[in-house]
Amino acid sequence: MTNQFDLTDDQREIQDLARKFTADRITPHAAEWDEKHIFPKDVIKAAAELGFAAIYVSEEAGGINLGRLESAIIMEAMAYGCPATSAFISIHNMASWMIDRFGSQTVKDKYLPDLVTMERMASYCLTEPSSGSDAAALKTKAVRGTDAAGDHYVVTGTKQFISGAGENEVYVTMVRTGEEGPKGISCMVIEKDMPGVSFGANERKLGWHAQPTRQVIFDSVRVPVENLVGGEGEGFRIAMMGLDGGRLNIGACSLGGAQRCLDEAIQYTKDRKQFGTAIADFQNTQFTLADMATELEAARALLYMAAAKVTANAPDKTRFAAMAKRLATDTGSSVVDRALQLHGGYGYLQDYPIERFWRDLRVHSILEGTNQVMRMIVGRELTRQ
């Protein structure tokens, strides 16, 4: 009975590999990346050498073709060192998967070889200045035309809060090719160097300092029709399917960051003495640590189950992905907040890692669908039955 709740030997090997990579290449440098706003492209590309840039891309396209649970395990392990870096790699994976899963052979051959190795990096462009949670209201427009250069779309509009914008070379973008609402949305690949593509200033954020975030601006950008991913009108469905996996990964990033802070809090309370004794010996401290560990394990169990459902394409996969994302990100932030409290004034200092995780994890309950939208998804499904 217990075996079904354990990772397999292969999954543990993947976890060990990701943990070793994190310990060697991420954890020792993450504080500096945060403080100096360094985007560690060399380390991110090193992750690609382990297959972590194409986790669920097919083997035919050069990926390692793993499931969503394996992906969550990898993201959780890397977020133990730096949630911002792990989340960036997750977004690249989502964009690459969309091309592999829904793209024509032409668009796959054009982009996947470089995305698998991270010779080129990818962003996912859905959110706009006036459409966040109401993603189906997006206004970026793609008008089809033909001239001597061939069939193309002319794309005009602006995308907001795009991770990797200005640095990445490839932008998997949701655009409006038809009617208002979700049925008029299509997905296409736009390149950084296409004439008319520009970027806003790097956003000044509370956290996620180790990756750039900018607007992506399209000013009459000519995009070949062959860059369409899926058919016209299929973009919203593709975007939502991508977000099932993205929500699992961002939840896993919260788990990894929270586990790091729990481990730091345990060690700190054992070392820190007040009133002549280690504060870990106080019953209040032990109760706090016990609650943190219990809630973290519960969130992890739900997220792993949801990941298995998304891999199996279970009929309730979207509901479980939403439940898991909501619980893991809320729990992660709560655990980190209590870890900071256990550190007292020292937890507020940049000399300790807790405040960085507190800042980095805060955005996880907003992106990939706010946690309020996650409740809407779950509630609607429950009342529809």
Side-chain angles (χ1 to χ4, degrees), residues 121-125 157-173 190-203 212-219 221:
M121 297 186 189
S123 292
Y124 170 70
C125 301
T158 300
K159 296 297 181 177
Q160 183 76 28
F161 303 131
I162 305 304
S163 292
E167 294 283 348
N168 290 355
E169 295 83 9
V170 173
Y171 297 85
V172 178
T173 306
I190 302 177
E191 297 181 28
K192 175 182 180 179
D193 294 334
M194 288 179 173
V197 176
S198 63
F199 305 94
N202 197 5
E203 303 287 2
T213 305
R214 296 182 175 91
Q215 283 189 337
V216 182
I217 302 159
F218 304 112
D219 183 7
V221 180

Side-chain angles (χ1 to χ4, degrees), residues 33-40 84 202-212 350 359-360:
W33 298 343
D34 174 74
E35 182 180 358
K36 298 180 180 178
H37 293 233
I38 295 169
F39 180 42
N202 197 5
E203 303 287 2
R204 299 168 62 221
K205 308 188 296 288
L206 174 70
W208 275 28
H209 292 165
Q211 57 160 286
Q350 291 183 350
R359 289 183 289 105
D360 279 351

